[in-house]
Amino acid sequence: MLSEIIRVDHLTFCYNGTDVINDVSLSVKSGDYLGIAGSNGSGKSTLIKNILGILQPLKGSVHLFGQPLPSFDQWHKIGYLPQRINALNYHFPGTVAEIVQMGMAKGKPVDVRQTLSLMGIAHLASNLIGELSYGEQQRVMLARALIRKPDLLIFDEPTTALDPETRDMFYSLTDDMNRQGTTIVLVTHDTGIIGKYARNLLYLDKSVIFCGTFEDFCASPDMTGFFGLDSQHMICHQHDKAGGET
Amino acid sequence: MDLSNFFNYEFVQRAFIAGILIAAISSILGVFLVLRRFSLIGDGLAHVTFGSVAVVMLMGVSPLYITLAALPLVMISSIAILKLTGSKRIQGDAAIGIVSSIGIATGIVLASLSGGYNLDLFSYLFGNILTVTQAELLLSLMVFIIVVAAVMIFYDDLLAVTFDEELAQSMGIKTKRINMILFLLTAVAAVLAMKIAGIMLVSAMLILPPLTALQLSLSFKTTIFSSALISVLSVLCGLLLAFLLNLPAGGTIVMVNICFLLVVLGTKKILSA
């Protein structure tokens, strides 16, 4: 039986008295590739931040790798790429190499240059991150998430600022990692990408609209009311085209 | 009196040693504060120091120990600022403003209650490094060791929190603990810097050297070293100039700091042209 990497039970999060997510439960098993979709303000990023302990839920609980979140201590097993680097200071003095190695366990040998090469930014290793373009900064952050070789990767709109070539390379890379056993949670507006790579889908609109496999999703007639026939059809078509395993 | 005689005086030696230590302390912490947009915390804490000094003066504490006696109140205030900045209802700069106003208002009211504006209290407004006591010198040395040790021990955590607090949280870093350490050390640095530059110029000691170092576009580690080096040089040059030209030490040190910043900015502009 596959071990549970993430378990969320009846999670509710409020901001200024308004429900941002309401009674959300989900389970992510080892080796899963879960795509989280939903419109703007549907609570996708808020859910991720609750899972990672960045935000504190009003109700409910989160378990990571079988441990309750408040006592969770295996953070090296998680790689996270936030939606955007929060208001990065143009004058921030960290070099690309410093940022990519940030948070690595001391004494653990890492091949920074190899990871940077993978992202096509090896030549920027000694540049200051504040002086890079947004797309280059995003590649640095991707390298930072990948270098830890984590068991669980969480991406929140990871390829927004990337060119199509780098985007395809990124998804192909994460797909390979998933096939080698890395659990992936991907938040994106791009339902086509989710359909192509993810095995399971969570559709949020403050609460769970759908959570399950693509087979169930595509077979469910009730979904059209939420997504529109075209959108549901497109996701399923992408999934079939990619030969998705369900 | 020539320079060699000048350095024979114990109070001058104390002033130089304390100046170097306090310059290093405030400029190292300043790098984190400036990058996290908490630059004005030094100003806020300096105003709180004014209020705290007034409180301990009213309590009749000996002038030799006023700095030490004011320290707990300033540290509590730094925690108050930290809590207020974490509040969803109050923005960070407003939180600093609130605590700052309380500090300065307390100082003015208490000075008035104690029989008018006390001359000693005013000496804290402008600072006087030549009056550094043995106890303050020891405190400076202890805080210097603590700050250097804290930066070395928590370097990775400080880098992550300074870069992006949410990302640091997702790495399991106890960001609240790191913030608490940073704010408490800044409170101590503000009280010590008051002795050099005076309450009016404490924020300059925290902001100017890091700002100059940041213009040099160096790595994070080198920026911290450069900030400390620029600050120590400013104190040494400032104190010597103050002695030679008979100028107030605090103001001269800050002016030297500003000169360094202008030179770096000017050089950058020339090089990029």
Side-chain angles (χ1 to χ4, degrees), chain B residues 187-249:
Chain B
V188 184
V191 172
L192 292 173
M194 173 190 74
K195 201 74 189 181
I196 295 185
I199 286 162
M200 309 292 278
L201 298 173
V202 163
S203 56
M205 296 288 295
L206 286 163
I207 296 172
L208 288 172
L211 209 55
T212 309
L214 285 171
Q215 305 306 318
L216 300 172
S217 300
L218 304 163
S219 71
F220 197 71
K221 220 171 259 179
T222 325
T223 300
I224 295 171
F225 278 121
S226 310
S227 177
L229 187 66
I230 291 163
S231 191
V232 168
L233 280 176
S234 300
V235 166
L236 292 176
C237 296
L239 278 177
L240 286 173
L241 280 174
F243 166 67
L244 292 171
L245 305 173
N246 198 25
L247 296 169

Side-chain angles (χ1 to χ4, degrees), chain B residues 44-79 99 103 106-107 110 120-121 124 133 135-136 139 183-184 186-195 199 202:
Chain B
L45 288 175
H47 287 125
V48 171
T49 309
F50 180 72
S52 306
V53 166
V55 169
V56 294
M57 273 184 169
L58 199 68
M59 288 162 65
V61 174
S62 158
L64 286 174
Y65 300 107
I66 278 180
T67 311
L68 293 174
L71 204 51
L73 278 173
V74 185
M75 290 173 88
I76 291 167
S77 304
S78 73
I79 295 170
V99 177
T106 308
L110 290 182
D120 286 339
L121 188 57
Y124 284 91
T133 64
E136 286 163 345
L139 178 66
F183 274 55
L184 286 174
T186 304
V188 184
V191 172
L192 292 173
M194 173 190 74
K195 201 74 189 181
I199 286 162
V202 163

Side-chain angles (χ1 to χ4, degrees), chain A residues 169-181:
Chain A
M169 183 274 297
F170 167 75
Y171 284 118
S172 158
L173 181 71
T174 52
D175 194 42
D176 284 347
M177 291 179 77
N178 177 246
R179 285 175 200 282
Q180 287 165 29

Side-chain angles (χ1 to χ4, degrees), chain B residues 134-149:
Chain B
Q134 197 68 33
E136 286 163 345
L137 182 62
L138 275 175
L139 178 66
S140 306
L141 182 63
M142 275 169 55
V143 177
F144 172 77
I145 293 167
I146 291 170
V147 167
V148 172

